[in-house]
Amino acid sequence: MFGAENVIVVDLGYGDAGKGTVVDHLCAASPVHAVVRFNGGAQAAHNVVAVDGRHHTFAQFGSGTFTPGVRTHLSRFVLVDPLALAAEADHLRRIGVGDALDRLTVDGDALLTTPYHRAAGRARERARGADRHGSCGMGVGETAAYALAHEDAPRAGDCRSPARLRRRLAAVRDRYRDAFPGAAEDVPDVDDCVAAFTAFGERVRVVGGGHMRTLLAGGPVVFEGAQGVLLDEWHGFHPYTTWSTTTFGNAEALLREAGGGAARLGVVRAYATRHGPGPFVTEDAALTRGLPEPHNGTGPWQGPFRAGHLDAVALRYAREVTGGMDGVAVTHLDVAGARPDLRVCRAYRIGDATVRRLAPNPAGRLDLQEDLTRRLLAARPVYAPLGRPEEAVEEAAGAPVVLRSFGPTAADKRVAAAV
């Protein structure tokens, strides 16, 4: 799409905009050496449908894996779940991609998500009752929180050292038992976890931080983000956020260290969606009913999948907190073409005020983000006719639409003539 450049792909909304299908297109359309995951963990759900009809929900493997030869690298910013990764590799093998693990590298500094993290995260979410934050139930937030409090948090490199791995896994298990003594969820023995994680360490290639230079030297790299900017740990609408930096920041840190650069590509739907609770100013129950998701639905942890109208105010906010982008991919244009009732939100009404801009807050001020959340929960949309979605997106994002998607496969993509 951007010639022979490296590309960073970031969702400008609440996630589920179609990052996976965009990455799949990038890898299928031109030579790409590797896909680098730079945030999140096994809770990512990037649905890719191949031209021949095969479908896979990419969680940890890069969404370019259907293209032969494209490698996946899990950077130090990814929270790696070896058990979920093995299950994902098994599904890929069943649909004809038998070498996914052979094309995988993992940074030894990447944190490990364990069954104990997963159980603790679910117990914590259950304890919130009606005030759930919308966890995916995969233990990603618990993994990040544990690492902030414990220097000996298990990492991918520990899978090569069984004794150290056992000590660290036992510490996570003990903390789970102490924090939730009445939790009903069964968890495996530490010895069983050690055996599984050690097998993971023997099967995949665990590398050091210098591996990024090797990847960049091999050819163009696509950096694939997870979740969306409006869920960012610092810039999202707290507390309905993820424990992850969802902007371009992590990818650009990796590139700086390796002496490389990349084009910034934002991804947005022609209409808005959100999976789980939290502010969603343009939510429309009629759209939720009328736009079913074949690969997204109500989950036991996230809750319902919600749909609404394109939100130019939120898109401008995403533009500001990311520092802008070089281009935008707009997905689900086939849906927009069949729905003349779709609109665009140009402003919010909050009390007696009309709000056209959400001012970014200083990083680290979660109290200010929580105050913003309260305001958004009371906001009402000010709509205008949508017209051509691409024009509304370009105006709000401040960048040209360089890719249009009219369906789930790489064949359904249209590249702007000038690109």
Side-chain angles (χ1 to χ4, degrees):
M1 180 189 302
F2 291 93
E5 292 179 276
N6 304 314
V7 181
I8 309 171
V9 178
V10 164
D11 189 311
L12 300 177
Y14 294 107
D16 299 298
K19 295 180 295 298
T21 190
V22 169
V23 170
D24 175 58
H25 161 78
L26 292 174
C27 293
S30 60
V32 169
H33 178 58
V35 173
V36 174
R37 304 299 295 261
F38 62 86
N39 73 300
Q43 92 278 40
H46 298 179
N47 289 288
V48 173
V49 179
V51 175
D52 60 13
R54 289 176 298 163
H55 165 254
H56 180 74
T57 302
F58 286 94
Q60 295 179 86
F61 287 99
S63 295
T65 304
F66 275 149
T67 300
V70 174
R71 305 190 63 83
T72 291
H73 178 62
L74 304 183
S75 73
R76 71 175 186 272
F77 296 115
V78 176
L79 285 63
V80 179
D81 185 331
L83 302 182
L85 188 73
E88 186 178 353
D90 184 60
H91 182 261
L92 284 167
R93 186 165 45 249
R94 293 199 305 273
I95 60 174
V97 184
D99 64 344
L101 285 172
D102 298 324
R103 292 189 262 153
L104 176 71
T105 50
V106 180
D107 192 302
D109 284 337
L111 291 167
L112 291 176
T113 294
T114 72
Y116 315 119
H117 292 113
R118 189 182 304 117
R122 291 177 177 182
R124 197 176 304 280
E125 187 76 338
R126 278 193 295 266
R128 295 186 177 114
D131 296 323
R132 286 190 177 192
H133 293 173
S135 167
C136 292
M138 298 297 292
V140 170
E142 203 70 27
T143 303
Y146 183 90
L148 288 174
H150 300 82
E151 292 183 356
D152 63 345
R155 298 180 182 269
D158 296 332
C159 294
R160 299 293 185 88
S161 178
R164 184 173 66 214
L165 177 66
R166 192 188 193 291
R167 289 196 303 272
R168 294 186 168 187
L169 290 177
V172 179
R173 179 208 55 195
D174 292 347
R175 181 177 181 272
Y176 163 62
R177 287 178 173 174
D178 291 344
F180 303 100
E185 186 159 344
D186 193 20
V187 292
D189 291 337
V190 168
D191 287 340
D192 291 338
C193 271
V194 170
F197 282 30
T198 300
F200 161 80
E202 294 171 348
R203 179 64 181 85
V204 305
R205 185 180 170 202
V206 180
V207 299
H211 185 67
M212 186 59 59
R213 287 184 179 272
T214 302
L215 287 177
L216 294 176
V221 172
V222 175
F223 292 79
E224 181 177 3
Q227 292 81 53
V229 171
L230 302 183
L231 298 177
D232 183 77
E233 58 184 338
W234 300 115
H235 300 293
F237 307 138
H238 188 73
Y240 305 100
T241 54
T242 183
W243 285 71
S244 180
T245 296
T246 60
T247 64
F248 297 97
N250 286 350
E252 291 184 329
L254 295 169
L255 284 160
R256 282 194 301 272
E257 294 164 5
R264 292 169 151 220
L265 179 64
V267 184
V268 63
R269 286 197 189 211
Y271 58 98
T273 64
R274 179 162 194 162
H275 203 170
F280 188 10
V281 178
T282 64
E283 181 176 10
D284 186 328
L287 288 183
T288 299
R289 290 191 300 270
L291 297 175
E293 288 282 314
H295 306 301
N296 288 301
T298 299
W301 299 103
Q302 279 180 288
F305 195 87
R306 305 149 68 192
H309 300 275
L310 185 65
D311 189 337
V313 180
L315 187 51
R316 285 193 291 268
Y317 177 78
R319 167 189 175 184
E320 289 198 54
V321 300
T322 60
M325 60 222 71
D326 300 298
V328 184
V330 182
T331 65
H332 296 76
L333 285 167
D334 52 327
V335 175
R339 295 292 304 232
D341 57 331
L342 289 178
R343 294 173 287 175
V344 58
C345 173
R346 300 288 188 186
Y348 300 157
R349 290 290 296 174
I350 305 177
D352 295 329
T354 298
V355 176
R356 290 182 171 84
R357 175 178 179 264
L358 302 178
N361 291 315
R365 290 296 305 274
L366 293 183
D367 59 326
L368 296 180
Q369 290 304 105
E370 195 161 4
D371 180 66
L372 176 59
T373 297
R374 285 192 290 269
R375 294 175 62 213
L376 292 177
L377 288 170
R380 297 295 177 265
V382 177
Y383 285 124
L386 177 58
R388 295 186 67 246
E390 300 98 312
E391 293 178 357
V393 167
E394 286 185 336
E395 180 183 356
V401 170
V402 297
L403 181 69
R404 296 168 172 83
S405 178
F406 294 88
T409 77
D412 299 315
K413 308 298 182 280
R414 305 290 182 268
V415 179
V419 178

